Amino acid sequence: MEENLIHLMLNGGANIAFGLFLYMQNKELQRRADEREEKQDKKEKDLRDRYDKVISDMQTREDTMPRELVAEINDLDRKVALLETKIEHIKQIVDEIKARFVRVG
């Protein structure tokens, strides 16, 4: 095998040099193609990760929104109930003031 290779190299001349050139060029082109593919894969992964995060954030927001609305409605209900008791208290005071004026007059 080694003898055949040496014989081919000595007798091939330009064909061997051209073959070696083609081999090296193919190897370089393959390396570049691999680098481009790796770079594209990284960009694609980054894009997928970004969209996965956006979707996750939206799902989290969608999950928490009903709880936040319930809490806000409960807070508003408490405030309305407090306002109602204050209005009732004011009404009692106004009724007492009216009753005093009726007795005086």
Side-chain angles (χ1 to χ4, degrees), residues 12-101:
N15 287 338
I16 292 297
F18 184 63
L20 184 61
F21 166 75
L22 290 176
Y23 173 77
M24 296 301 286
Q25 185 181 30
N26 183 44
K27 195 170 185 176
E28 178 65 19
L29 290 174
Q30 186 62 46
R31 182 187 64 79
R32 288 181 185 174
D34 290 345
E35 287 175 358
R36 267 194 309 271
E37 186 177 344
E38 287 175 15
K39 189 176 180 181
Q40 185 63 31
D41 287 346
K42 185 182 180 316
K43 283 182 181 179
E44 188 176 313
K45 183 185 179 307
D46 291 345
L47 187 63
R48 283 184 181 168
D49 290 345
R50 190 174 87 200
Y51 282 111
D52 286 345
K53 184 182 181 318
V54 168
I55 289 170
S56 174
D57 290 348
M58 289 181 75
Q59 286 175 338
T60 301
R61 195 170 113 202
E62 188 177 305
D63 291 343
T64 59
M65 192 180 298
R67 282 180 275 165
E68 290 174 358
L69 286 174
V70 166
E72 192 170 328
I73 289 171
N74 287 339
D75 186 45
L76 289 173
D77 189 42
R78 278 192 302 273
K79 288 179 181 179
V80 167
L82 182 63
L83 186 61
E84 186 179 355
T85 55
K86 287 181 179 181
I87 290 174
E88 285 294 325
H89 184 68
I90 291 172
K91 182 181 177 269
Q92 287 175 352
I93 292 173
V94 169
D95 286 343
E96 288 175 10
I97 293 172
K98 277 185 185 177
R100 286 184 192 166
F101 279 122

